[in-house]
């Protein structure tokens, strides 16, 4: 238990670990679905503190990583156009498109700006009526209420120079895709706390029942994650498969109804491609017909874009929990945060980047919590 | 950008549309939209993601999270200069 002293409450962490060890009588494989959780797990060495029987599989929970290459290429194309102010969260800047990234586009003269909130992009549109302001609207359910509000406000203010390049994804269909994949080994889920703080837990009982998997809503702090694991293992050992909320301080069963109402007003469910994984039916949101005028894909003609993934990148398998990043031959050699081949090496929430930053090449050599800051990626 | 950071509501601008407040994240102060937590009062804690408060949170949990975020350097990641960081990663700074 070499990292345990770095937990904010080491005694509680030790008690939770002891209980997990005492409970697990057989091997169990759990998937965490939130990129923030993946990061926290690797950073604190939680996967190495756990008893051997309990394995953590990293899921497709990083919105930056799963944004499809074709959407990145569309973003690059729009951002390079004269007259456009392209706004994005900071962690999209170095996600590789087919032949460059947003950082390069800015270097080549494109007006790319980092915003903290989509409302900042809206404000830019208000102040620059002669420019087209495009916001890169990616993210899971946690980000959707913010992006929905931005476009809602744009319409209310009659702004005609604001649009969204939308690539929103939803967690429950991803869980379904993972559970129906032939190579699936997942027996339980740590569900993403902040996704549930918006959506609540209503979508999950059906999944727990159909696939007979425990779904434990979990936060992303180290102790939250241990508590989530403890409850999931307890259910598995008892043969149960229920939805449990281990993040009650931030998640109510009905989520945030006002936020959900806004999402439903602005977005409708659609099929989406996930980078590295492919099409998952009904796994995304797009603007509804009433808001189509604010859709950057319609406003700028960017439908005919050719994309090419680097052949050696195995991010798709990483994102589905089929391999660990270190099993990719490019890991740490041709693929590093400085020269990323796949998005999972770029985003600070990506599994490849987390392994690279905290675990270095092979095995547990790095000290948890001592990441080289200069290589960290901004979280927008 | 999955992360959501707890902060303390230090001021509320009732005249703003959408409803807006000033949030203190362990020293860094930023405006956030309060439209999804309209019942929140000055002095309470909220979880903020990309400029939107999503839920209220009790003080004890909020302070514990904030302390951890600070220790891990996550506040700097969240509010630091993204261009500077991207330049460093690209090896051009
Ligand atoms: S290490 Fe790099 S090349 Fe390999 S799967 Fe991860 S992102 Fe792709």
């Amino acid at each position: 238990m070499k990292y345990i002293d770095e937990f904010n409450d080491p005694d509680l962490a030790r008690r939770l670990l002891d209980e997990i060890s005492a409970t697990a009588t057989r091997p169990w494989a759990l998937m965490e679905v939130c990129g923030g959780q993946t990061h926290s797990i690797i950073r604190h060495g939680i996967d190495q503190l756990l008893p051997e029987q309990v394995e953590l599989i990293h899921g497709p929970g990083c919105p930056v990583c799963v944004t499809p290459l074709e959407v990145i290429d569309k973003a690059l194309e729009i951002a390079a156009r004269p007259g456009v102010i392209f706004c994005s969260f900071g962690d999209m800047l170095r996600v590789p498109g087919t032949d460059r990234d947003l950082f390069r586009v800015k270097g080549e003269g494109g007006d790319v700006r980092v915003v903290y909130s989509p409302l900042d992009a809206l404000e830019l549109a208000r102040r620059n009526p002669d420019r087209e302001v495009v916001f890169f609207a990616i993210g899971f359910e946690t980000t959707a209420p913010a992006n929905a509000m931005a476009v809602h406000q744009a319409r209310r203010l009659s702004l005609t120079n604001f649009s969204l390049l939308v690539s929103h994804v939803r967690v429950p269909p991803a869980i379904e895709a993972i559970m129906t994949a032939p190579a699936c080994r997942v027996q339980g889920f740590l569900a993403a706390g902040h996704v549930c703080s918006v959506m609540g837990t209503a979508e999950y009982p059906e999944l727990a029942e159909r696939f007979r998997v425990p779904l434990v809503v979990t936060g992303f702090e180290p102790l939250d994650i241990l508590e989530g694991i403890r409850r999931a293992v307890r259910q598995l050992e008892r043969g149960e498969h229920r939805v449990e909320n281990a993040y009650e301080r931030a998640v109510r069963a009905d989520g945030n109804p006002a936020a959900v109402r806004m999402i439903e007003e602005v977005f409708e469910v659609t099929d989406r491609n996930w980078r590295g994984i492919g099409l998952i039916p009904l796994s995304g949101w797009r603007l509804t017909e009433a808001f189509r005028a604010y859709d950057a894909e319609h406003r700028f003609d960017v439908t005919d874009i050719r994309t090419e993934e680097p052949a050696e990148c195995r991010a798709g398998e990483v994102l589905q929990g089929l391999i660990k990043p270190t099993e990719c031959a490019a890991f740490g050699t041709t693929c590093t945060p400085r020269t990323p081949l796949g998005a999972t090496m770029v985003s600070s929430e990506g599994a490849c980047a987390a392994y690279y930053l905290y675990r270095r090449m092979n095995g547990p050599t790095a000290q948890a919590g001592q990441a080289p800051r200069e290589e960290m990626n901004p979280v927008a | 950008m999955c992360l959501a950071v707890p902060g303390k509501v230090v001021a509320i601008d009732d005249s703003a549309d959408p409803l807006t407040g000033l949030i203190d994240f362990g020293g860094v102060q930023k405006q956030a939209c309060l439209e999804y937590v309209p019942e929140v009062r000055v002095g309470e804690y909220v979880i903020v993601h990309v400029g939107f408060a999503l839920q209220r949170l009790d003080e004890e949990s909020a302070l514990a999270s904030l302390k951890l975020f600070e220790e891990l350097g996550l506040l700097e990641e969240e509010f630091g200069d993204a261009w500077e960081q991207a330049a460093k990663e690209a090896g051009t700074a």
Side-chain angles (χ1 to χ4, degrees):
Chain A
M1 294 194 182
K2 53 190 158 174
Y3 307 143
I4 206 159
D5 294 337
E6 303 188 6
F7 282 63
N8 49 350
D9 186 344
D11 292 336
L12 179 54
R14 205 166 276 121
R15 278 206 301 281
L16 288 168
L17 277 162
D18 287 346
E19 203 181 322
I20 294 166
S21 299
T23 312
T25 62
R26 287 189 276 157
W28 298 114
L30 305 175
M31 177 177 272
E32 86 277 357
V33 191
C34 157
Q37 291 170 341
T38 304
H39 210 76
S40 198
I41 286 163
I42 304 303
R43 189 166 205 159
H44 292 87
I46 291 175
D47 52 335
Q48 299 178 350
L49 291 168
L50 288 172
E52 243 171 50
Q53 299 97 301
V54 181
E55 184 193 356
L56 290 177
I57 298 179
H58 316 307
C62 162
V64 177
C65 305
V66 302
T67 302
L69 185 58
E70 89 223 27
V71 178
I72 304 286
D73 282 349
K74 282 174 187 173
L76 297 171
E77 160 84 27
I78 295 171
R81 294 206 186 167
V84 167
I85 300 176
F86 192 87
C87 299
S88 165
F89 295 134
D91 44 7
M92 297 305 283
L93 294 180
R94 296 213 58 238
V95 177
T98 298
D99 55 15
R100 57 196 168 151
D101 56 28
L102 281 171
F103 186 71
R104 265 272 294 283
V105 169
K106 163 127 168 153
E108 291 163 1
D111 193 348
V112 181
R113 305 202 192 173
V114 170
V115 293
Y116 165 66
S117 161
L119 292 183
D120 298 341
L122 190 75
E123 180 59 19
L124 275 173
R126 222 178 45 77
R127 279 201 251 128
N128 296 276
D130 53 332
R131 306 278 298 278
E132 279 286 340
V133 175
V134 182
F135 179 68
F136 202 173
I138 70 146
F140 282 95
E141 290 93 328
T142 324
T143 322
N147 293 339
M149 178 67 82
V151 80
H152 174 86
Q153 286 292 322
R155 189 171 69 172
R156 216 178 52 84
L157 299 169
S158 307
L159 287 178
T160 54
N161 63 330
F162 180 76
S163 58
L164 299 183
L165 179 61
V166 181
S167 190
H168 261 299
V169 279
R170 302 170 57 234
V171 168
I175 289 181
E176 181 175 346
I178 286 160
M179 289 313 295
T180 47
C184 174
R185 297 191 298 120
V186 179
Q187 293 161 296
F189 284 93
L190 306 181
H194 288 144
V195 164
C196 296
S197 64
V198 171
M199 301 303 292
T201 51
E203 295 174 286
Y204 292 113
E206 193 261 334
L207 290 170
E209 188 54 42
R210 180 148 51 112
F211 299 111
R212 307 185 67 79
V213 283
L215 279 148
V216 182
V217 178
T218 306
F220 55 82
E221 289 168 39
L223 290 173
D224 289 331
I225 291 167
L226 287 177
E227 172 63 9
I229 294 167
R230 185 183 75 85
R231 295 205 201 185
V233 169
R234 190 177 57 187
Q235 280 199 46
L236 285 165
E237 288 284 340
R238 291 178 179 169
E240 297 171 351
H241 45 86
R242 289 178 288 115
V243 178
E244 253 186 280
N245 184 0
Y247 196 38
E248 260 176 339
R249 65 183 191 273
V251 173
R252 295 171 19 191
D254 63 346
N256 184 322
V260 173
R261 268 197 305 279
M262 181 62 82
I263 292 172
E264 285 171 351
E265 183 190 331
V266 170
F267 293 121
E268 64 192 10
V269 169
T270 184
D271 298 346
R272 277 247 175 254
N273 270 316
W274 294 50
R275 188 170 195 168
I277 298 179
L279 187 97
I280 303 180
L282 308 180
S283 67
W285 277 309
R286 65 171 175 209
L287 292 163
T288 61
E289 193 60 46
F291 287 91
R292 205 51 53 80
Y294 298 93
D295 187 339
E297 288 194 54
H298 286 245
R299 189 171 302 197
F300 302 87
D301 186 20
V302 286
T303 40
D304 241 358
I305 279 180
R306 189 186 60 91
T307 60
E308 217 174 283
E309 291 275 8
E312 61 268 53
C313 177
R314 300 178 66 187
E317 290 160 272
V318 171
L319 288 166
Q320 292 170 86
L322 300 176
I323 64 165
K324 294 260 153 63
T326 42
E327 290 170 55
C328 169
F331 178 84
T333 56
T334 49
C335 182
T336 68
R338 191 161 279 193
T339 55
L341 289 178
T344 42
M345 186 56 96
V346 178
S347 162
S348 64
E349 288 157 31
C352 296
Y355 270 73
Y356 186 88
L357 290 170
Y358 301 118
R359 195 139 306 161
R360 290 306 173 163
M361 310 311 245
N362 297 303
T365 49
Q367 288 292 306
Q370 292 188 355
R373 302 295 309 163
E374 72 277 7
E375 289 183 21
M376 281 307 295
N377 203 41
V379 173
Chain B
M1 49 161 287
C2 267
L3 289 190
V5 184
K8 184 178 189 168
V9 181
V10 292
I12 296 176
D13 180 356
D14 286 307
S15 65
D17 182 11
L19 186 64
T20 301
L22 186 64
I23 316 291
D24 184 291
F25 303 96
V28 186
Q29 297 202 339
K30 278 204 164 278
Q31 299 284 342
C33 177
L34 301 179
E35 200 66 38
Y36 297 133
V37 287
E39 67 288 359
V40 76
R41 296 286 162 259
V42 169
E44 291 183 334
Y45 286 82
V46 284
I47 297 183
V48 179
H49 176 66
V50 298
F52 283 73
L54 293 176
Q55 284 291 353
R56 290 193 291 171
L57 191 67
D58 65 273
E59 178 167 11
E60 195 191 337
S61 318
L63 292 179
S65 297
L66 263 179
K67 184 162 158 270
L68 181 77
F69 280 22
E70 209 190 326
E71 281 166 14
L72 298 180
L74 288 174
L75 289 181
E76 183 196 323
E77 267 174 55
E78 180 82 6
F79 302 119
D81 184 335
W83 288 110
E84 225 169 78
Q85 305 214 36
K88 278 183 188 153
E89 284 161 22
T92 57

